[in-house]
Amino acid sequence: MSASADTVGLVTDHITHATNGNGAGPAHVRIAIVGAGFAGLGMAIRLKEAGIEDFVVLERAEDLGGTWQANTYPGCQCDVPSHLYSFSFEPNPGWTRTYSRQPEIWAYLRNVAKRRGLAPHLRFGHELTGATWDEQTRRWHVETSRGSLTAALVIDATGPLSHPSTPRIRGLDRFEGKLFHSAQWDHEHDLEGERVAVIGTGASSIQFVPRIQPKVGAMHVFQRTAPWILPHSDRPTTRIERQLYRAVPLIQRAVRAMVYCGREALVVGFAKRPSVAKPVERLARMHLRHQVRDRELRRKLEPDFRLGCKRVLISNEWYPALTKPNVELVTESIAAIEGREIVLADGSRREVDTIILGTGFHVTDPPTAWLVRGREGKTLAEAAGASPQAYLGTAMAGFPNLFRIIGPNTGLGHSSMIYMIESQLTYLMDAIRQMDEREIGSIEVRPETVEKFNAEIQGMMAGTVWASGCSSWYLDASGRNSTLWPDFTFRFRQRLRHFDADAYELRTRVAEPAGVA
Ligand SMILES: Cc1cc2nc3c(=O)[nH]c(=O)nc-3n(C[C@H](O)[C@H](O)[C@H](O)COP(=O)(O)OP(=O)(O)OC[C@H]3O[C@@H](n4cnc5c(N)ncnc54)[C@H](O)[C@@H]3O)c2cc1C
């Protein structure tokens, strides 16, 4: 995947080569970051800025970029304007579109990593397979697919949307055609003229369906719930804009601030006064009426829940794609897969060559939660039960010196996750600074602090649109919304401005164990 000429895109070959042959890495590091997406890379940058070099970034993939390395499906693009969906400390005046596409975001991240000299710290092909806290040495024993190491601190930056979710459909594993998930797009497989089934109508599907519709022979799109779709304002940026941002960076910062404020205003409609969202619902209905003339199809596409309860999507191409003669929108539920046929609840069948899963990710039940064992020997999943909880979305009781970036209740339905990530980075850097200054060996959030915080969060959630009764991937197995931050994002930032040591149990350092370098 190459960067367009106008991006800051530089290739990362040298990062890959410089780090891949490194074997297990050092026996002991001060900090092990797991995941090389926006969060892991941001953490690495902050550490280097503070003069801390004793850390590694363990990444299961063979390249950096996280979401933007994995999701290469046709049409993949961010749905928050790029001036905001990027690091505040690494503005890119060269964005070629207002909402960048995956290759450009990926190129941006690789270029940032190169410019910031992250290569020596990156360990590609190192999948975390286990981590256990050792109370005696006050260290984490970290197992990876390429060897083990110990670390004083572990930063879990494995991302909320990095483990593709496969729906439980009888016979799916025995489907006789081609099957893949949108986050694992098979570019070798030619869809030309094929009969294709797309399962799911979420954020990814609405981006790739219009791209593949012209080439496939027939497409059956299986929809469980019709999403709210708003018109997209994406456009190419002009040369003058880009020159202006390069010449006067302050202007780009002002645009970023304006985008931020515009997005934040949506919180009023989602979380404070739902009636404010009514005009936006009207706009979405007009968009549907304007783009879909067929009454029957329009009826199927009418959302039956309040705008915002599930993620609001933006597209000018989704509805038109569904009106094309080679596309069928199926709202009947899938009962089973038999051979190459999809059997529906009403008994009808669709024979297809390829099934593409646009079925999202394990958000509230990531497999990594089963890999990390804390002070009492429990895994994160066992400790959390059906509903993950963390103080400030960052620290879990029973798991000393382990921090999660984009943990529970830090997700957003309206703005840039990079803003949340950067807020957490500030907090973590202050924690590390205080640990140094006060010679603290381990820190562990107090259970009562986590409990109080979560009671507060769930209390705030109560009156919001996210609690208005739809079923969404924001909800965990217990039915609680443990995904979203239910308030203005600047309030999140305020709370994470300083590390509040009194919310934590602090333990002193222990002497270096003999024989560990
Ligand atoms: C298609 C798509 C579009 C999106 N668009 C937007 C948007 O417009 N705006 C927005 O705010 N957010 C968007 N998001 C959410 C997006 O995930 C976040 O914005 C952000 O990229 C998360 O960064 P991260 O570093 O936390 O996680 P990721 O980017 O997911 O990175 C996590 C990394 O951890 C690695 N990893 C996972 N498990 C292990 C393991 N066991 N061992 C080692 N490594 C591991 C993964 O390989 C991955 O590289 C989008 C998500 C998707 C999937």
Side-chain angles (χ1 to χ4, degrees):
M1 196 75 57
S2 66
S4 74
D6 206 45
T7 68
V8 285
L10 299 170
V11 277
T12 53
D13 276 3
H14 100 277
I15 292 178
T16 315
H17 295 148
T19 57
N20 259 357
N22 271 1
H28 178 76
V29 287
R30 184 168 175 208
I31 301 168
I33 301 168
V34 190
F38 263 105
L41 298 174
M43 187 72 211
I45 290 168
R46 284 288 191 229
L47 288 172
K48 279 181 88 72
E49 281 175 351
I52 299 172
E53 295 286 339
D54 186 10
F55 70 91
V56 289
V57 183
L58 306 170
E59 169 56 55
R60 70 180 172 192
E62 294 296 340
D63 205 339
L64 59 83
T67 294
W68 303 102
Q69 179 270 331
N71 289 267
T72 59
Y73 62 76
C76 182
Q77 126 185 81
C78 60
D79 56 14
V80 169
S82 287
H83 290 307
L84 185 60
Y85 191 69
S86 44
F87 287 125
S88 63
F89 46 81
E90 282 286 351
N92 174 16
W95 293 122
T96 61
R97 306 195 68 85
T98 50
Y99 293 78
S100 300
R101 295 179 177 165
Q102 174 268 338
E104 197 168 356
I105 305 174
W106 189 23
Y108 163 82
L109 281 172
R110 289 185 295 165
N111 190 49
V112 167
K114 186 172 185 181
R115 200 168 42 238
R116 295 291 190 135
L118 302 187
H121 301 275
L122 298 169
R123 301 286 180 272
F124 297 131
H126 282 63
E127 177 164 6
L128 178 89
T129 53
T132 309
W133 175 251
D134 180 346
E135 183 65 11
Q136 290 222 308
T137 57
R138 305 226 167 113
R139 283 178 172 182
W140 283 97
H141 288 263
V142 178
E143 304 292 333
T144 83
S145 49
R146 291 214 196 151
S148 51
L149 61 141
T150 60
L153 257 72
V154 172
I155 312 283
D156 175 354
T158 52
L161 305 181
S162 65
H163 302 286
S165 165
T166 304
R168 270 196 224 130
I169 300 173
R170 188 157 49 84
L172 182 63
D173 54 341
R174 294 188 301 280
F175 174 59
E176 288 173 5
K178 178 80 189 168
L179 171 75
F180 58 87
H181 191 282
S182 61
Q184 295 157 336
W185 197 272
D186 186 345
H187 291 278
E188 301 294 302
H189 184 76
D190 188 4
L191 294 169
E192 190 73 47
E194 280 204 333
R195 296 161 302 176
V196 175
V198 173
I199 302 182
T201 54
S204 301
S205 297
I206 71 145
Q207 292 184 337
F208 70 74
V209 162
R211 290 283 184 280
I212 63 172
Q213 172 273 321
K215 63 159 39 179
V216 302
M219 178 154 52
H220 309 281
V221 178
F222 293 87
Q223 172 186 276
R224 200 163 53 179
T225 336
W228 285 98
I229 311 273
L230 288 170
H232 210 316
S233 60
D234 178 37
R235 62 170 176 82
T237 56
T238 64
R239 202 150 51 89
I240 293 175
E241 276 174 290
R242 296 193 292 266
Q243 281 169 350
L244 202 62
Y245 296 146
R246 275 198 187 95
V248 194
L250 198 62
I251 296 181
Q252 194 181 8
R253 253 182 267 145
V255 172
R256 182 182 169 98
M258 270 169 13
V259 173
Y260 173 77
C261 293
R263 295 267 152 176
E264 217 51 1
L266 295 171
V267 178
V268 179
F270 289 162
K272 309 291 173 190
R273 295 192 49 188
S275 59
V276 175
K278 284 286 169 203
V280 188
E281 277 190 13
R282 277 199 292 276
L283 174 67
R285 284 188 204 284
M286 267 170 51
H287 187 49
L288 172 59
R289 264 202 310 277
H290 181 69
Q291 294 201 313
V292 181
R293 295 283 165 207
D294 182 289
R295 274 175 186 244
E296 180 54 21
L297 179 59
R298 211 159 61 205
R299 192 188 53 73
K300 289 181 176 178
L301 291 168
E302 288 269 352
D304 61 0
F305 56 93
R306 273 171 48 196
L307 180 128
C309 186
K310 291 156 90 87
R311 194 171 176 87
V312 181
L313 309 179
I314 45 176
S315 177
N316 297 337
E317 299 167 311
W318 167 246
Y319 289 145
L322 297 180
T323 65
K324 296 290 187 279
N326 64 341
V327 180
E328 179 198 22
L329 181 70
V330 184
T331 50
E332 191 68 34
S333 55
I334 299 174
I337 312 270
E338 288 174 7
R340 279 189 177 238
E341 288 186 334
I342 298 180
V343 186
L344 302 183
D346 66 4
S348 64
R349 291 167 179 257
R350 306 289 185 279
E351 190 175 341
V352 295
D353 306 302
T354 296
I355 298 178
I356 306 175
L357 302 175
T359 44
F361 301 87
H362 286 277
V363 180
T364 55
D365 58 342
T368 37
W370 292 98
L371 304 176
V372 180
R373 265 178 211 285
R375 193 169 42 75
E376 292 171 354
K378 281 187 190 161
T379 62
L380 274 169
E382 286 162 351
S387 190
Q389 298 189 9
Y391 177 53
L392 301 173
T394 311
M396 286 72 60
F399 295 82
N401 290 11
L402 173 76
F403 301 101
R404 181 125 195 249
I405 306 183
I406 321 228
N409 290 110
T410 56
L412 301 176
H414 71 288
S415 190
S416 169
M417 287 311 300
I418 315 308
Y419 184 88
M420 303 301 270
I421 289 171
E422 287 190 26
S423 306
Q424 289 181 284
L425 298 183
T426 302
Y427 186 78
L428 292 177
M429 289 311 296
D430 198 35
I432 292 167
R433 183 187 61 77
Q434 290 194 38
M435 285 179 82
D436 273 352
E437 283 176 9
R438 299 164 66 178
E439 303 207 335
I440 297 164
S442 75
I443 56 180
E444 181 186 336
V445 67
R446 297 175 198 280
E448 61 275 18
T449 306
V450 183
E451 221 167 276
K452 192 165 157 232
F453 174 74
N454 278 285
E456 183 193 341
I457 291 293
Q458 292 306 319
M460 281 159 66
M461 198 70 79
T464 67
V465 70
W466 304 298
S468 60
C470 68
S471 85
S472 76
W473 56 263
Y474 298 149
L475 307 180
D476 59 36
S478 77
R480 275 176 10 132
N481 187 327
S482 53
T483 303
L484 292 184
W485 172 251
D487 201 353
F488 294 106
T489 59
F490 59 80
R491 297 240 168 92
F492 183 74
R493 181 153 288 192
Q494 274 164 356
R495 293 183 77 146
L496 281 94
R497 187 151 289 160
H498 301 289
F499 176 69
D500 45 350
D502 49 359
Y504 291 76
E505 195 78 55
L506 312 177
R507 296 191 192 87
T508 51
R509 285 186 185 155
V510 293
E512 286 284 299
V516 177

